[in-house]
Amino acid sequence: MTEFHKIYDIKTVSEYSEIQSYSAFQPIKVGDYSISEDGNFVDCNKAKVPTLKSFNLPLDLNVGYRGEPTQYINRWEELLMWIQSSETGYHYLSEVDVVAKRGVLKDIGYSNHNFYRNPWKFEVCMYAGKLYLKELGEPQYLDEWGNKNTYWGLKFEEYVIERGTNVKATFQTLTGMIGKKKRLLSAEVDAVNDKGKFIEVKTCFEHKLASKIPQAWLQSYLGKVDLLVFGWKDRNGIVFSNPVEFPIESIAGSQVLQESDANAMLGMIGDVIDWLCTTLPKSNSRLLREAPVTSDAAQQFSVYSVDIIKEIVIPNLGVLEGNLGVPLGNFKTTTEVLQEFHLGTIGGLLGFHSQVQKDLMAQIVSSLDDDNCATRLVSCNCFNFLLKAGGKDCFGPEELHTLYVELLKRLDDSSDELRIAVTNTFSTFFSLIPEDYDREFYKAHLQALYRGLLIHLDDPNQAIQEAVYKVLETAGKIHPQYLCEHIDNVKHKHRSSLYCDKLLALFTQ
């Protein structure tokens, strides 16, 4: 007999609205950071915050649109990097109950008001007494109309926002109480106006404002944004009039958003988070579950990390010094331990030593050939994590050259999920190539990499094509001329030259 478990009872809007006023949540800014165009973390002290710029009407939001699918891949590693690199980040981590990006909280709170009933899902982890919430990190594909409207929104931002040099996005980090729990969250800021007010930029069909405003308000309120700026678009993607500003403080309680609805959205976030905190186990059996309040609180964990990795982690990864392979469950748990270290301790876990690095990477690489697809996927994700954790200090050209052959093999894997994971690992791989990389001396390696990746620009799966294209956008910067030569040699063999042509246009400007 099938056993069913009740997960969570969603209350009515009126029930949530009676729990607490939305105004009880008063987010406090505690920091900020940026993401560069090539996806790297940037301290905001070194980056210009986007501002508004002048433009001429009308705005054609279709310019550059080719009908290609838009992918959302939400990352939250940058929030953890801010916690790790910021003096205040680690301090505030000790004070909060929940760590999340704004998008998860927005989706939860908007559930009862979602006009289109769009589904959502997220990952949750209770670690060292704190609840971590993140988007799944998997691509979300839209239909043609949804894809076009998404492109219009991004194009509108391009018209009206002046971003700093090599700045893709800027984020605030905030704390505040929702329900009974204190949150630490990050929220993207579209721009700052000449009065220092934070702005969220949106497009909307004017007659659809009533269905658009609740989500836009919630997103902005959670992120401590001061003004919502809407550009009214028609169904052909043209903006004929100047954008309209809505001060966030005046929206709740007005005709466009009842105060009871504002209360209900914040109330549902608080209720769901409180429920998760009481439902998930209070403790876990993972290594160093109390790390944030023990040795690493004094930034001393790196003293012990080498022995722990060498004596505990490596022997559990599989074949080492004659030991037989361990079951998948044990292997998966062990690789998750490595990644949970980063989540739990946040600060400098892997004080890499060469002998430990070689043994650890050897075990991960060997597991990429495992017969079990789940093992290969876990190995690839762990591979990516170790590259990020070690960085350029641990992985120079010689070390990287020994690794890419295994990644290229896995691009031919039977699992598309794994192949997408491999492209993510390749992105990390190319981010570690130093600026003084000897392109001519290492030309044979570049040839192998470019040839191996270009094959998959003709993959039957368009998601793979798009993912490989993103990798080559970064990889091509190492030796643009050499990549273009290889593209010219192979593009006539591809069923579609779309991505080849895009790369040629990018690197022959």
Side-chain angles (χ1 to χ4, degrees), residues 35-240:
I35 307 301
S36 67
E37 288 289 354
D38 50 4
N40 292 324
F41 175 86
V42 180
D43 188 297
C44 259
N45 292 327
K46 302 176 183 177
K48 177 185 174 184
V49 178
T51 57
L52 294 179
K53 65 181 179 182
S54 59
F55 54 88
N56 296 317
L57 294 171
L59 302 178
D60 185 353
L61 305 182
N62 298 284
V63 174
Y65 181 68
R66 298 183 179 181
E68 300 167 9
T70 300
Q71 295 184 24
Y72 286 107
I73 302 179
N74 295 309
R75 305 192 328 175
W76 81 324
E77 291 88 345
E78 289 82 9
L79 173 57
L80 300 183
M81 292 176 70
W82 173 81
I83 294 173
Q84 175 181 345
S85 63
S86 166
E87 292 182 5
T88 57
Y90 198 81
H91 166 73
Y92 282 106
L93 178 68
S94 65
E95 293 187 350
V96 301
D97 308 295
V98 180
V99 178
K101 292 195 71 172
R102 174 181 59 180
V104 171
L105 303 185
K106 178 200 69 176
D107 287 342
I108 293 173
Y110 188 53
S111 297
N112 268 329
H113 298 76
N114 191 333
F115 179 80
Y116 297 103
R117 296 293 186 263
N118 303 117
W120 53 263
K121 54 186 177 179
F122 58 88
E123 293 177 307
V124 59
C125 171
M126 178 69 78
Y127 188 86
K130 301 184 188 302
L131 187 69
Y132 292 84
L133 296 163
K134 67 181 290 288
E135 294 93 339
L136 286 176
E138 61 186 24
Q140 300 176 26
Y141 298 99
L142 306 173
D143 60 23
E144 183 178 357
W145 178 244
N147 186 67
K148 181 176 288 188
N149 275 273
T150 300
Y151 182 87
W152 288 348
L154 296 174
K155 194 65 181 181
F156 182 66
E157 290 183 8
E158 183 181 318
Y159 278 126
V160 303
I161 295 174
E162 184 72 47
R163 301 195 185 277
T165 303
N166 197 31
V167 174
K168 184 175 183 179
T170 301
F171 296 80
Q172 295 190 92
T173 50
L174 309 142
T175 62
M177 297 288 295
I178 304 181
K180 302 173 184 177
K181 304 298 180 184
K182 189 172 184 180
R183 278 95 168 138
L184 172 64
L185 63 133
S186 71
E188 183 178 358
V189 177
D190 284 343
V192 177
N193 68 9
D194 55 3
K195 297 179 180 179
K197 299 292 187 181
F198 289 110
I199 294 173
E200 184 75 30
V201 175
K202 300 286 186 185
T203 59
C204 183
F205 301 111
E206 190 169 358
H207 67 285
K208 291 285 188 179
L209 181 63
S211 60
K212 181 89 170 184
I213 201 73
Q215 182 185 33
W217 173 85
L218 178 60
Q219 178 180 356
S220 301
Y221 188 74
L222 288 171
K224 199 176 174 62
V225 171
D226 302 300
L227 291 172
L228 258 176
V229 175
F230 277 107
W232 303 130
K233 62 187 175 184
D234 64 16
R235 292 189 65 83
N236 295 315
I238 306 296
V239 175
F240 289 100

